[in-house]
Every structure is written in structure tokens, then in C-alpha cells.
Amino acid sequence: KQEVTQIPAALSVPEGENLVLNCSFTDSAIYNLQWFRQDPGKGLTSLLLIQSSQREQTSGRLNASLDKSSGRSTLYIAASQPGDSATYLCAVKAAGNKLTFGGGTRVLVKP
Amino acid sequence: ETGVTQSPTHLIKTRGQQVTLRCSSQSGHNTVSWYQQALGQGPQFIFQYYREEENGRGNFPPRFSGLQFPNYSSELNVNALELDDSALYLCASSLGGRDEQFFGPGTRLTVL
């Protein structure tokens, strides 16, 4: 059974600092891994999708890496801003076509 | 291009009642998945529909059921509501089962 873990559960940084969010999964037989952002009480916004054959994806200040063999992904957010405050969720897709989510990392960027 | 929409936004029901939640997929998407997100937790997969057929189910009891229509819109029905059913219900659409999923804003269900 696939399990996804995100550590830490919460993170507080001063504005301008780089953010590093970690995601680990137990079964390396995945199709892809997706990072999402969720604002309080809202739906999920897809940030980056990494296919199982890829090592990383980049979009603006965001960079996500994937190491399938070790079951890890890292989301980097450069030069954080107060607007980056949100909960970040990672999810893996494997057999059954369902997304298995981690519990999320709640980020606060202080001005 | 229209994104994924869900209705209603909020809903309050009492224990034992039945509820229907609705989702309109993103244009051109033939697959819809439903997730339940309890407060402070990550979403949990309920089931997926592909071209009107159930295409995978998570660890949810049969009182959670769904439908997908020819226009690929979808419904989630929950019978005999329990207090623990209180959650944010998210639907997501995709071009196929393995493709990137795009999420709607969710329906907040409160069971009293």
C-alpha cells in the first residue's frame, strides 16, 4: 500500500528565504508525482507534475526534483514571498489511477 | 477553456440524510475523480469514473456512490450521512486516468 509522508508538517520562514519542502513515498512504482498548493478552505492548484521518467521540473521560482529509487521528491521555492503562504501537498499516481496524497506542509512566510 | 466547477459551495445536513454533490469537468476531459479531505489532512481517493464507468475505488463504504454523464459531468451521492462525513469534497478531471488531474474548488459538507 502506497504511503506518502511530508515533513515538516509546518514551516515558518522570513520573506526572501528559500523554501525546501520534502515528500517521501513508499512504493517507487509510480506514474507521476504532482505538487499542489491549497489556500485555506479552497481547492487544489497544481504547481508541477513530474513524470516517472523525469528527474525535475521547473516553473518560475519553483523547482521540483524526483528520485524514484529512493522514494523522494523535493519542492524548492526561491526567494519566498508572503503570498507563498499556503499548504503544499504532494501526491503520487500509481496503479489504479488514483492520487495518494501526503498530509501537507503548512507554510507561513513572514514579511 | 472552462475549468472544473463544483456545486454547491457549502452544504449543511443532519445525520442520516442523503446528499448529492455535482462536478462539471474541464472541457474535453473524460475522466473524473472524487476525493474527501478532512480538516488538516490530505485528500483521500473515493473513486474515479472514465467514460461513465467506475474505474477504481478507494476504501469507502457502498453508501458513497457516483455517476458520470455523457457530457462527462459527475455526481457524488452519500447516503445515511454520518458525522465523520463532514469534509471538503473535491473533484478532479483529466484527459485520461494517468494524466494530470485538475481540481475544482470543492464542496464543504457539514453533518450535524
Side-chain angles (χ1 to χ4, degrees):
Chain A
K1 177 190 170 188
Q2 179 74 266
E3 292 184 1
V4 181
T5 304
Q6 292 185 249
I7 295 174
L11 189 58
S12 179
V13 299
E15 181 178 2
E17 193 165 297
N18 295 333
L19 282 164
V20 180
L21 308 179
N22 298 303
C23 172
S24 62
F25 47 96
T26 55
D27 187 347
S28 62
I30 64 170
Y31 299 144
N32 57 52
L33 183 145
Q34 221 169 331
W35 281 94
F36 295 90
R37 170 187 171 134
Q38 186 174 35
D39 293 294
K42 305 294 186 183
L44 306 181
T45 300
S46 180
L47 298 174
L48 291 167
L49 174 84
I50 312 175
Q51 300 291 353
S52 62
S53 58
Q54 297 175 314
R55 299 280 296 181
E56 67 175 343
Q57 277 284 359
T58 298
S59 176
R61 293 185 295 114
L62 277 58
N63 174 277
S65 65
L66 174 64
D67 185 340
K68 217 172 62 159
S69 61
S70 67
R72 293 180 184 176
S73 177
T74 302
L75 177 66
Y76 300 90
I77 303 177
S80 62
Q81 305 167 358
D84 294 329
S85 298
T87 296
Y88 292 83
L89 293 152
C90 73
V92 297
K93 180 174 284 186
N97 291 323
K98 67 175 186 179
L99 284 174
T100 302
F101 284 85
T105 295
R106 192 170 64 254
V107 171
L108 175 64
V109 180
K110 296 179 286 187
Chain B
E1 183 178 280
T2 307
V4 179
T5 60
Q6 293 185 243
S7 63
T9 305
H10 296 91
L11 203 51
I12 299 174
K13 292 286 188 178
T14 56
R15 198 169 47 182
Q17 284 188 312
Q18 178 266 341
V19 69
T20 297
L21 311 182
R22 295 178 174 82
C23 172
S24 289
S25 300
Q26 188 163 313
S27 178
H29 287 184
N30 56 20
T31 303
V32 65
S33 304
W34 284 91
Y35 296 82
Q36 180 196 66
Q37 186 178 24
L39 200 62
Q41 298 181 22
Q44 298 289 317
F45 175 74
I46 303 175
F47 44 57
Q48 183 182 89
Y49 278 82
Y50 171 70
R51 293 186 176 181
E52 303 176 58
E53 297 287 331
E54 189 176 290
N55 185 41
R57 188 178 182 92
N59 190 26
F60 280 81
R63 61 189 184 84
F64 285 77
S65 63
L67 280 173
Q68 187 181 28
F69 300 100
N71 66 356
Y72 301 134
S73 65
S74 176
E75 286 182 355
L76 164 65
N77 299 288
V78 187
N79 295 321
L81 283 167
E82 301 177 358
L83 298 179
D84 285 348
D85 296 334
S86 295
L88 181 67
Y89 288 85
L90 298 161
C91 81
S93 73
S94 58
L95 270 173
R98 295 189 184 187
D99 293 303
E100 183 174 6
Q101 295 188 6
F102 295 88
F103 282 76
T107 293
R108 171 70 64 187
L109 173 65
T110 302
V111 182
L112 302 176

